[in-house]
Amino acid sequence: MGGVTAASLAPILLVLGDEELLATRAVTEAVAKVRSVDAEVDVREYQASALTVGEIAEMLSPSLFGGRRLLILRSGQDARKDLVAALLAYAKNPDPDVQLLVLHLGGAKGKAFADGLRAAGATVVPAAKLKGHRDRVAFVRDEIRRAGGKCTDDAAEALIAAIGNDLRELAAACSQLIADTDGRISADTVARYYRGRVEVTGFTVADATMVGDVPGALEALRWALHVGVDPVPIADALADGVRTVARVASAGRGNPYQLASTLGMPAWKIERAQRQGRGWTPEGLVRAMQVAAECNAAVKGGSDDRAYALERAVFSVAAARQGSTR
């Protein structure tokens, strides 16, 4: 908190977004900052929907006893019109001894309030849910950096593959990794640490590939190889996935339980293949079977780069399916 002075505190903070972890963190950091300037700061929290204009006027008026105040207004999007009007009027000329922090989900509800605070010069702290994979990778890398460590992109990817997309769990995993290692986090560090945490098999890769989920298939494939799954069963699972969908598709539509005896496979497998077979054409499946056979040959024939052969197969099978849907 070095270098924080009363003058450097933003009079109005708008925490905008629906990611609970980021919003909670923004509040914690704001409180810590104000306390570093004034340990006796009066911190008060309110729900915007339950607050009246009279109460807010009293809280924002200069205190008889002096001292700094931090007012935290939760669920700003639920504030009533009269309260919004009073706060936006205050925001034009805020009290230097008061810091107002408004949490707002950032959606369409109460948008005029958020826009008005922004226009009045509020400091905006983004707290929106992270949408894309790249954002989550950046979040993990930033978490490790904040804790004084270093982390590569592929280490962040491996951690997301092991933990999932929940930011709280990712943040906890980052601090755990930092605590238990020297702080330099590579994909191998993550793989060693989480070995067995995720049971990724060739079937996980095959299932994602057959429905055209290339990012999911590649993530599962890379993770499986990281934690030491042999490439041969992965290639077998991919070939089996294509073969099963082709066999079930050629049997025509029907009740999985009735088809089970004809095809000699369990009903659940038929049901899954019927689901995965949507969007495939016979030509696409023929192409996918060729790809799976080539991949099998490369992996079992001691190809120099078996991981590359598997990755290429994932892309090619997905492309065969794409060709089917054109």
Side-chain angles (χ1 to χ4, degrees):
M1 293 293 161
V4 179
T5 62
S8 70
L9 292 172
I12 299 170
L13 278 172
L14 172 61
V15 179
L16 201 55
D18 53 353
E19 176 54 71
E20 202 188 326
L21 172 77
L22 298 178
T24 304
R25 190 173 275 180
V27 172
T28 308
E29 286 178 3
V31 172
K33 235 180 198 181
V34 179
R35 287 218 165 109
S36 74
V37 170
D38 177 0
E40 302 297 308
V41 62
D42 180 7
V43 179
R44 302 182 190 185
E45 284 199 35
Y46 302 89
Q47 284 293 332
S49 59
L51 204 54
T52 67
V53 172
E55 286 172 316
I56 199 82
E58 190 184 317
M59 286 186 293
L60 292 170
S61 60
S63 162
L64 291 173
F65 308 106
R68 184 162 286 284
R69 272 169 294 164
L70 170 61
L71 305 179
I72 299 167
L73 194 62
R74 293 190 176 273
S75 307
Q77 70 283 349
D78 297 334
R80 290 190 298 268
K81 277 186 180 163
D82 55 349
L83 181 67
V84 167
L87 285 168
L88 291 181
Y90 167 80
K92 290 190 177 116
N93 187 21
D95 182 329
D97 287 331
V98 177
Q99 190 176 36
L100 173 65
L101 186 155
V102 177
L103 291 134
H104 190 295
L105 286 178
K109 188 180 183 190
K111 187 171 183 298
F113 184 25
D115 290 348
L117 287 173
R118 197 190 255 128
T123 299
V124 179
V125 182
K129 278 202 177 3
L130 303 185
K131 295 283 190 288
H133 182 65
R134 299 306 319 151
D135 290 343
R136 284 187 280 272
V137 168
F139 171 80
V140 168
R141 293 197 65 179
D142 197 46
E143 280 296 291
I144 302 277
R145 204 177 298 122
R146 281 161 66 109
K150 271 190 176 158
C151 164
T152 58
D153 259 5
D154 56 349
E157 303 233 5
L159 191 63
I160 293 164
I163 298 295
N165 292 334
D166 183 86
L167 287 202
R168 279 185 187 281
E169 289 192 16
L170 283 171
C174 288
S175 52
Q176 193 68 55
L177 273 171
I178 285 284
D180 294 347
T181 64
D182 64 358
R184 284 193 297 274
I185 315 292
S186 69
D188 288 340
T189 318
V190 177
R192 276 199 308 277
Y193 200 85
Y194 286 97
R195 195 181 297 279
R197 155 90 198 225
V198 183
E199 277 310 306
V200 175
T201 64
F203 294 105
T204 321
V205 179
D207 289 349
T209 305
M210 290 310 291
V211 294
D213 177 11
V214 175
L218 291 176
E219 197 173 282
L221 171 60
R222 284 165 192 162
W223 181 250
L225 295 171
H226 265 311
V227 295
V229 177
D230 189 273
V232 171
I234 301 177
D236 283 340
L238 193 56
D240 181 64
V242 177
R243 257 198 319 270
T244 304
V245 169
R247 275 185 69 198
V248 171
S250 66
R253 288 186 182 174
N255 181 311
Y257 295 94
Q258 287 166 346
L259 289 171
S261 56
T262 323
L263 294 172
M265 61 175 85
W268 63 264
K269 197 170 182 181
I270 294 171
E271 205 172 357
R272 189 179 63 185
Q274 285 176 332
R275 221 174 28 249
Q276 292 176 345
R278 287 183 199 130
W280 279 96
T281 61
E283 297 77 26
L285 285 166
V286 168
R287 173 75 197 114
M289 283 169 91
Q290 287 167 343
V291 168
E294 286 160 17
C295 172
N296 244 305
V299 168
K300 290 174 184 169
S303 156
D304 287 347
D305 193 343
R306 302 195 298 169
Y308 173 67
L310 285 164
E311 282 200 9
R312 204 177 52 198
V314 167
F315 280 115
S316 301
V317 170
R321 185 177 182 276
Q322 277 294 100
S324 295
T325 53
R326 284 212 178 97

